[in-house]
Amino acid sequence: MDNYFMKEAICEALKAYELKEIPIGAVIVKNEEIVGRGYNLKETLKDATLHAEILAIKDACKNLGGWRLPGCTMYVTLEPCAMCAGALVNARVERLVIGTRDHKTGACGSILNIVQMQNLNHQITVEFGILGDECSNMLKRFFSELRKNKNIKYR
Amino acid sequence: MDNYFMKEAICEALKAYELKEIPIGAVIVKNEEIVGRGYNLKETLKDATLHAEILAIKDACKNLGGWRLPGCTMYVTLEPCAMCAGALVNARVERLVIGTRDHKTGACGSILNIVQMQNLNHQITVEFGILGDECSNMLKRFFSELRKNKNIKYR
């Protein structure tokens, strides 16, 4: 089932791609059902907090009727940053399945590991590399196209 | 001016207090003008992401018309958690003024320091203790009242 739900996260990422946003997507799953979805909308809505993961968490909180998301797994195409990793801990997400690593800002094992800090009150099981090549190639293609069109600047 | 703007953050926190939310408030200031406000609404709106700082960042992004908040200072009554510290870095906030420390989840120097990590692409100047007693006493009073009314559970 992990591949199936990562495919759904990739579908979310492609919605960002179409808007010329960095293509990152996430879904949240409980009892084999998608309860939250999100894709990067930071540039479109001009809001630093609108990463795919935050939007998926907000969507899941709304659908499940509470701020705690126990028994939930997040599938996300790129390793979450510190903000999103902190949000996953705050929401008590149980498991995190990541497509590809973010060596610059990844906060789930790459530059730091917020989701498994023993001195926080919640730790998350993490798995890397589910459809990793697909997630990574989507990002590479996006940045390669971006370089061809140099009047758009990201990061 | 720091005391003046921290008072404004305390006013935001008191709005949370009235809703029986943990009383935390934040304002964002640019050129001595408040451009964003927020208070904790996590329980009321049943959304794990709705900390005071996230709401203040969203408000400032909306008011300033972009996801970057250069030249901005956040005043916040309690030390931000990992999610909020990460959001401050993502939004490129310049300076962070904190009322009181959070020894359990504070991610701006207490249990970790996300806002001054050298391997992230932005670092924030941090100052602790502005109206610290006032911020700390407000939280103590809230939790003391909560213990008297034990049918409400937090954290």
Side-chain angles (χ1 to χ4, degrees):
Chain A
M1 292 302 279
D2 281 350
N3 280 20
Y4 174 83
F5 289 120
M6 187 59 82
K7 276 269 185 211
E8 290 286 334
I10 291 172
C11 287
E12 291 300 311
L14 290 173
K15 295 179 191 170
Y17 204 126
E18 279 175 24
L19 294 170
K20 298 191 181 6
E21 294 272 0
I22 300 177
I24 305 165
V27 297
I28 297 179
V29 173
K30 183 167 187 166
N31 300 330
E32 305 203 341
E33 200 186 320
I34 294 176
V35 295
R37 292 176 173 273
Y39 55 94
N40 181 23
L41 280 170
K42 189 175 83 165
E43 300 284 344
T44 308
L45 298 182
K46 300 175 193 302
D47 181 331
T49 73
L50 295 184
H51 287 193
E53 301 93 313
I54 297 288
L55 287 162
I57 290 170
K58 292 176 81 67
D59 192 32
C61 288
K62 195 177 155 195
N63 290 331
L64 298 180
W67 62 260
R68 289 178 193 83
L69 302 175
C72 285
T73 298
M74 174 179 281
Y75 294 81
V76 59
T77 58
L78 182 67
E79 182 181 357
C81 72
M83 171 180 76
C84 296
L88 287 158
V89 172
N90 290 351
R92 315 283 196 268
V93 167
E94 192 172 304
R95 185 168 169 251
L96 175 60
V97 181
I98 296 168
T100 189
R101 275 190 192 270
D102 184 337
H103 294 284
K104 280 188 188 166
T105 63
C108 305
S110 290
I111 67 156
L112 75 165
N113 194 343
I114 289 169
V115 293
Q116 298 181 318
M117 270 190 75
Q118 289 308 314
N119 49 357
L120 286 176
N121 65 350
H122 181 75
Q123 290 80 34
I124 299 172
T125 306
V126 180
E127 204 159 339
F128 276 98
I130 306 298
L131 301 185
D133 287 344
E134 205 164 327
C135 293
S136 167
N137 290 338
M138 178 171 60
L139 285 160
K140 280 179 193 158
R141 200 179 109 207
F142 175 80
F143 284 110
S144 149
E145 283 174 8
L146 203 66
R147 276 187 296 272
K148 286 180 202 155
N149 183 0
K150 282 193 178 167
N151 53 349
I152 305 171
K153 268 208 170 180
Y154 285 80
R155 295 203 178 183
Chain B
M1 291 303 279
D2 280 351
N3 280 20
Y4 174 83
F5 289 121
M6 187 58 82
K7 276 270 185 210
E8 290 285 333
I10 291 171
C11 287
E12 291 300 311
L14 290 173
K15 295 179 192 169
Y17 204 127
E18 280 176 24
L19 295 170
K20 298 193 183 5
E21 294 272 1
I22 300 176
I24 305 165
V27 297
I28 296 179
V29 173
K30 183 165 185 165
N31 300 329
E32 306 203 338
E33 200 185 321
I34 294 176
V35 295
R37 292 176 174 274
Y39 55 95
N40 180 23
L41 280 170
K42 189 176 83 165
E43 300 284 346
T44 307
L45 298 183
K46 300 175 194 300
D47 180 331
T49 72
L50 295 185
H51 287 192
E53 301 93 313
I54 297 289
L55 287 162
I57 289 170
K58 292 176 81 66
D59 192 31
C61 288
K62 194 176 157 195
N63 290 331
L64 297 180
W67 62 261
R68 289 176 192 85
L69 302 175
C72 285
T73 299
M74 174 179 282
Y75 294 82
V76 58
T77 58
L78 182 68
E79 183 181 355
C81 72
M83 171 181 76
C84 295
L88 286 158
V89 172
N90 290 352
R92 316 284 197 265
V93 168
E94 191 173 306
R95 186 168 169 251
L96 175 60
V97 181
I98 296 168
T100 189
R101 273 189 193 271
D102 185 336
H103 295 286
K104 280 189 190 168
T105 63
C108 304
S110 290
I111 68 157
L112 75 163
N113 193 345
I114 289 168
V115 294
Q116 298 180 319
M117 270 190 75
Q118 288 307 313
N119 48 358
L120 285 177
N121 64 351
H122 180 75
Q123 291 80 35
I124 299 172
T125 306
V126 180
E127 204 160 338
F128 275 99
I130 305 298
L131 301 184
D133 286 345
E134 205 164 326
C135 293
S136 167
N137 289 339
M138 178 171 58
L139 286 160
K140 281 179 193 160
R141 200 180 107 209
F142 174 81
F143 284 110
S144 150
E145 283 173 8
L146 202 66
R147 277 188 295 271
K148 285 180 203 155
N149 183 1
K150 284 195 180 166
N151 53 349
I152 307 171
K153 268 209 171 180
Y154 285 81
R155 295 205 182 186

Short mmCIF file of all heavy atoms in Angstrom, two decimals, chain B residues 82-118:
data_model
loop_
_atom_site.label_atom_id
_atom_site.label_comp_id
_atom_site.label_asym_id
_atom_site.label_seq_id
_atom_site.Cartn_x
_atom_site.Cartn_y
_atom_site.Cartn_z
N ALA B 82 9.29 23.81 17.54
CA ALA B 82 10.01 23.52 16.30
C ALA B 82 9.23 23.97 15.06
O ALA B 82 9.80 24.56 14.14
CB ALA B 82 10.30 22.02 16.21
N MET B 83 7.91 23.70 15.06
CA MET B 83 7.10 24.11 13.91
C MET B 83 7.19 25.62 13.69
O MET B 83 7.45 26.09 12.57
CB MET B 83 5.63 23.70 14.12
CG MET B 83 4.68 24.28 13.09
SD MET B 83 2.94 23.80 13.38
CE MET B 83 2.50 24.87 14.76
N CYS B 84 7.00 26.38 14.77
CA CYS B 84 6.96 27.84 14.63
C CYS B 84 8.35 28.41 14.36
O CYS B 84 8.49 29.35 13.58
CB CYS B 84 6.34 28.44 15.88
SG CYS B 84 4.61 27.97 16.07
N ALA B 85 9.38 27.83 14.99
CA ALA B 85 10.75 28.27 14.72
C ALA B 85 11.08 28.03 13.25
O ALA B 85 11.67 28.90 12.59
CB ALA B 85 11.72 27.52 15.63
N GLY B 86 10.69 26.87 12.72
CA GLY B 86 10.92 26.58 11.31
C GLY B 86 10.16 27.55 10.40
O GLY B 86 10.69 27.99 9.38
N ALA B 87 8.95 27.91 10.80
CA ALA B 87 8.16 28.86 10.01
C ALA B 87 8.83 30.24 10.00
O ALA B 87 8.85 30.93 8.97
CB ALA B 87 6.75 28.96 10.57
N LEU B 88 9.41 30.64 11.13
CA LEU B 88 10.11 31.93 11.21
C LEU B 88 11.32 31.97 10.27
O LEU B 88 11.58 32.98 9.63
CB LEU B 88 10.55 32.20 12.65
CG LEU B 88 9.41 32.60 13.61
CD1 LEU B 88 9.80 32.32 15.06
CD2 LEU B 88 9.06 34.07 13.44
N VAL B 89 12.04 30.84 10.21
CA VAL B 89 13.18 30.73 9.28
C VAL B 89 12.66 30.78 7.84
O VAL B 89 13.18 31.53 7.01
CB VAL B 89 13.99 29.45 9.54
CG1 VAL B 89 15.06 29.24 8.47
CG2 VAL B 89 14.63 29.49 10.93
N ASN B 90 11.63 29.98 7.55
CA ASN B 90 11.08 29.95 6.19
C ASN B 90 10.63 31.34 5.73
O ASN B 90 10.76 31.66 4.56
CB ASN B 90 9.87 28.99 6.12
CG ASN B 90 10.27 27.53 6.26
OD1 ASN B 90 11.46 27.21 6.26
ND2 ASN B 90 9.29 26.66 6.39
N ALA B 91 10.09 32.13 6.65
CA ALA B 91 9.57 33.47 6.29
C ALA B 91 10.67 34.53 6.35
O ALA B 91 10.39 35.71 6.08
CB ALA B 91 8.42 33.84 7.22
N ARG B 92 11.91 34.12 6.70
CA ARG B 92 13.05 35.06 6.73
C ARG B 92 12.84 36.23 7.72
O ARG B 92 13.26 37.36 7.45
CB ARG B 92 13.35 35.64 5.35
CG ARG B 92 13.34 34.65 4.20
CD ARG B 92 14.58 33.78 4.17
NE ARG B 92 14.72 33.14 2.87
CZ ARG B 92 14.29 31.91 2.57
NH1 ARG B 92 13.68 31.17 3.49
NH2 ARG B 92 14.49 31.40 1.37
N VAL B 93 12.16 35.94 8.84
CA VAL B 93 12.01 36.96 9.88
C VAL B 93 13.40 37.32 10.40
O VAL B 93 14.27 36.46 10.52
CB VAL B 93 11.08 36.44 11.00
CG1 VAL B 93 11.12 37.33 12.24
CG2 VAL B 93 9.64 36.32 10.47
N GLU B 94 13.64 38.62 10.67
CA GLU B 94 15.00 39.07 11.00
C GLU B 94 15.33 38.92 12.48
O GLU B 94 16.44 38.55 12.85
CB GLU B 94 15.14 40.54 10.58
CG GLU B 94 16.55 41.07 10.61
CD GLU B 94 16.64 42.46 10.01
OE1 GLU B 94 16.18 42.66 8.86
OE2 GLU B 94 17.13 43.37 10.70
N ARG B 95 14.35 39.24 13.32
CA ARG B 95 14.62 39.32 14.76
C ARG B 95 13.45 38.69 15.51
O ARG B 95 12.30 38.81 15.08
CB ARG B 95 14.81 40.78 15.14
CG ARG B 95 15.22 41.02 16.56
CD ARG B 95 15.66 42.50 16.77
NE ARG B 95 15.81 42.77 18.17
CZ ARG B 95 14.98 43.53 18.89
NH1 ARG B 95 13.97 44.15 18.31
NH2 ARG B 95 15.17 43.70 20.19
N LEU B 96 13.78 38.05 16.64
CA LEU B 96 12.77 37.35 17.43
C LEU B 96 12.93 37.76 18.88
O LEU B 96 14.00 37.59 19.46
CB LEU B 96 12.98 35.84 17.27
CG LEU B 96 12.11 34.89 18.09
CD1 LEU B 96 10.64 35.07 17.76
CD2 LEU B 96 12.53 33.44 17.81
N VAL B 97 11.86 38.33 19.45
CA VAL B 97 11.89 38.76 20.85
C VAL B 97 10.90 37.90 21.62
O VAL B 97 9.72 37.85 21.28
CB VAL B 97 11.53 40.27 20.96
CG1 VAL B 97 11.60 40.72 22.41
CG2 VAL B 97 12.47 41.11 20.10
N ILE B 98 11.43 37.19 22.63
CA ILE B 98 10.66 36.17 23.34
C ILE B 98 10.44 36.60 24.78
O ILE B 98 11.37 37.06 25.45
CB ILE B 98 11.45 34.83 23.31
CG1 ILE B 98 11.59 34.33 21.85
CG2 ILE B 98 10.79 33.77 24.18
CD1 ILE B 98 12.58 33.19 21.67
N GLY B 99 9.19 36.41 25.27
CA GLY B 99 8.90 36.73 26.67
C GLY B 99 9.59 35.76 27.61
O GLY B 99 10.50 36.11 28.35
N THR B 100 9.15 34.50 27.54
CA THR B 100 9.68 33.52 28.50
C THR B 100 10.04 32.22 27.80
O THR B 100 9.53 31.92 26.72
CB THR B 100 8.66 33.30 29.66
OG1 THR B 100 9.26 32.51 30.68
CG2 THR B 100 7.39 32.62 29.17
N ARG B 101 10.95 31.47 28.41
CA ARG B 101 11.43 30.22 27.80
C ARG B 101 10.41 29.10 27.93
O ARG B 101 9.65 29.04 28.89
CB ARG B 101 12.70 29.75 28.54
CG ARG B 101 13.94 30.33 27.98
CD ARG B 101 15.18 29.67 28.59
NE ARG B 101 16.33 30.48 28.25
CZ ARG B 101 17.06 30.32 27.14
NH1 ARG B 101 16.75 29.36 26.28
NH2 ARG B 101 18.07 31.11 26.88
N ASP B 102 10.43 28.17 26.96
CA ASP B 102 9.67 26.93 27.06
C ASP B 102 10.69 25.80 27.20
O ASP B 102 11.32 25.39 26.22
CB ASP B 102 8.79 26.72 25.82
CG ASP B 102 7.91 25.50 25.95
OD1 ASP B 102 8.27 24.59 26.72
OD2 ASP B 102 6.88 25.44 25.28
N HIS B 103 10.88 25.33 28.44
CA HIS B 103 11.92 24.33 28.69
C HIS B 103 11.55 22.96 28.14
O HIS B 103 12.41 22.09 28.01
CB HIS B 103 12.21 24.24 30.20
CG HIS B 103 12.80 25.51 30.74
ND1 HIS B 103 14.10 25.87 30.50
CD2 HIS B 103 12.25 26.52 31.46
CE1 HIS B 103 14.34 27.04 31.07
NE2 HIS B 103 13.23 27.46 31.65
N LYS B 104 10.25 22.74 27.81
CA LYS B 104 9.84 21.43 27.29
C LYS B 104 9.95 21.34 25.77
O LYS B 104 10.37 20.32 25.24
CB LYS B 104 8.38 21.15 27.69
CG LYS B 104 8.24 20.65 29.10
CD LYS B 104 6.81 20.19 29.34
CE LYS B 104 6.55 19.91 30.81
NZ LYS B 104 5.13 19.74 31.09
N THR B 105 9.52 22.39 25.06
CA THR B 105 9.48 22.28 23.60
C THR B 105 10.13 23.48 22.88
O THR B 105 10.07 23.55 21.65
CB THR B 105 8.02 22.13 23.08
OG1 THR B 105 7.30 23.32 23.43
CG2 THR B 105 7.32 20.93 23.68
N GLY B 106 10.73 24.39 23.61
CA GLY B 106 11.31 25.60 23.00
C GLY B 106 12.43 25.25 22.02
O GLY B 106 13.40 24.60 22.39
N ALA B 107 12.27 25.74 20.77
CA ALA B 107 13.22 25.38 19.71
C ALA B 107 14.03 26.59 19.24
O ALA B 107 14.50 26.65 18.10
CB ALA B 107 12.45 24.75 18.55
N CYS B 108 14.20 27.56 20.16
CA CYS B 108 14.98 28.76 19.83
C CYS B 108 16.11 28.93 20.84
O CYS B 108 16.50 30.05 21.18
CB CYS B 108 14.07 29.99 19.82
SG CYS B 108 12.67 29.79 18.71
N GLY B 109 16.62 27.82 21.34
CA GLY B 109 17.72 27.87 22.29
C GLY B 109 17.55 26.93 23.47
O GLY B 109 18.53 26.54 24.10
N SER B 110 16.30 26.53 23.78
CA SER B 110 16.10 25.71 24.98
C SER B 110 16.38 24.22 24.72
O SER B 110 17.39 23.71 25.18
CB SER B 110 14.71 25.93 25.57
OG SER B 110 14.69 27.25 26.14
N ILE B 111 15.50 23.52 23.98
CA ILE B 111 15.84 22.11 23.73
C ILE B 111 16.58 21.92 22.40
O ILE B 111 17.25 20.93 22.19
CB ILE B 111 14.62 21.16 23.83
CG1 ILE B 111 13.63 21.41 22.70
CG2 ILE B 111 13.94 21.25 25.18
CD1 ILE B 111 12.77 20.20 22.43
N LEU B 112 16.41 22.86 21.50
CA LEU B 112 17.25 22.94 20.30
C LEU B 112 17.16 24.37 19.77
O LEU B 112 16.43 25.19 20.35
CB LEU B 112 16.87 21.90 19.23
CG LEU B 112 15.62 22.06 18.37
CD1 LEU B 112 15.71 21.13 17.15
CD2 LEU B 112 14.37 21.70 19.14
N ASN B 113 17.94 24.69 18.74
CA ASN B 113 17.94 26.08 18.26
C ASN B 113 17.85 26.11 16.73
O ASN B 113 18.86 26.16 16.03
CB ASN B 113 19.19 26.80 18.75
CG ASN B 113 19.07 28.31 18.55
OD1 ASN B 113 18.19 28.76 17.81
ND2 ASN B 113 19.92 29.09 19.19
N ILE B 114 16.62 26.07 16.26
CA ILE B 114 16.39 26.04 14.81
C ILE B 114 16.62 27.41 14.17
O ILE B 114 17.07 27.50 13.04
CB ILE B 114 14.95 25.54 14.54
CG1 ILE B 114 14.86 24.05 14.87
CG2 ILE B 114 14.51 25.81 13.11
CD1 ILE B 114 13.47 23.50 14.91
N VAL B 115 16.34 28.48 14.92
CA VAL B 115 16.41 29.82 14.32
C VAL B 115 17.85 30.32 14.17
O VAL B 115 18.07 31.36 13.55
CB VAL B 115 15.56 30.84 15.12
CG1 VAL B 115 14.08 30.48 15.01
CG2 VAL B 115 15.98 30.92 16.57
N GLN B 116 18.81 29.58 14.73
CA GLN B 116 20.21 30.00 14.57
C GLN B 116 21.09 28.86 14.09
O GLN B 116 22.30 28.85 14.34
CB GLN B 116 20.72 30.58 15.90
CG GLN B 116 19.93 31.82 16.31
CD GLN B 116 20.40 32.44 17.62
OE1 GLN B 116 20.70 31.74 18.57
NE2 GLN B 116 20.45 33.76 17.65
N MET B 117 20.49 27.91 13.36
CA MET B 117 21.28 26.79 12.82
C MET B 117 22.12 27.27 11.64
O MET B 117 21.58 27.80 10.67
CB MET B 117 20.35 25.67 12.31
CG MET B 117 20.01 24.64 13.37
SD MET B 117 19.16 23.23 12.64
CE MET B 117 20.55 22.41 11.82
N GLN B 118 23.41 27.05 11.70
CA GLN B 118 24.28 27.56 10.65
C GLN B 118 24.09 26.82 9.32
O GLN B 118 24.37 27.37 8.27
CB GLN B 118 25.75 27.49 11.09
CG GLN B 118 26.11 28.52 12.16
CD GLN B 118 25.73 29.95 11.80
OE1 GLN B 118 26.01 30.42 10.71
NE2 GLN B 118 25.06 30.66 12.71
#
